[in-house]
Amino acid sequence: MEHPSWTKADSRKCKQIWAEYQKQHDITERIGQTAGIDPKSGRIWFGDSISEIVEHRRTEGLTSPLFFERVGFKTYFRKGGHQ
């Protein structure tokens, strides 16, 4: 199944959905988990990794692109120099 290209508007929408979710829910039990956010439906999936969320969604027949956040962190993954 082909999906339209991801846009900056999709990323902004996901960040907005995530910010609203955090205002309405206590996420302390989920710190360190991965959150996958669908900009079209507004639905959020939680799991231990991106691959876990993707696999769970496949079992539901869902393949639309998601935006991922690491719960409790400013960035999902940081790649950089060694200290």
Side-chain angles (χ1 to χ4, degrees):
M1 177 181 288
E2 189 100 4
H3 295 288
S5 297
W6 189 268
T7 67
K8 289 182 181 182
D10 291 327
S11 295
R12 283 192 301 273
K13 178 69 176 173
C14 289
K15 289 177 183 181
Q16 178 186 18
I17 292 166
W18 183 236
E20 286 300 315
Y21 183 90
Q22 291 178 89
K23 287 178 188 175
Q24 298 173 13
H25 299 87
D26 179 7
I27 61 167
T28 55
E29 294 289 321
R30 296 194 179 273
I31 290 176
Q33 287 187 332
T34 299
I37 306 154
D38 183 335
K40 305 299 184 222
S41 71
R43 187 171 170 192
I44 300 173
W45 289 264
F46 291 95
D48 291 329
S49 66
I50 290 173
S51 59
E52 181 180 305
I53 292 171
V54 169
E55 185 57 35
H56 178 77
R57 291 181 75 242
R58 278 191 190 132
T59 64
E60 294 181 19
L62 302 171
T63 59
S64 58
L66 297 178
F67 184 89
F68 294 98
E69 289 278 354
R70 175 77 65 197
V71 180
F73 293 81
K74 290 185 180 185
T75 59
Y76 185 84
F77 179 77
R78 187 176 302 215
K79 183 177 179 181
H82 302 275
Q83 292 189 23

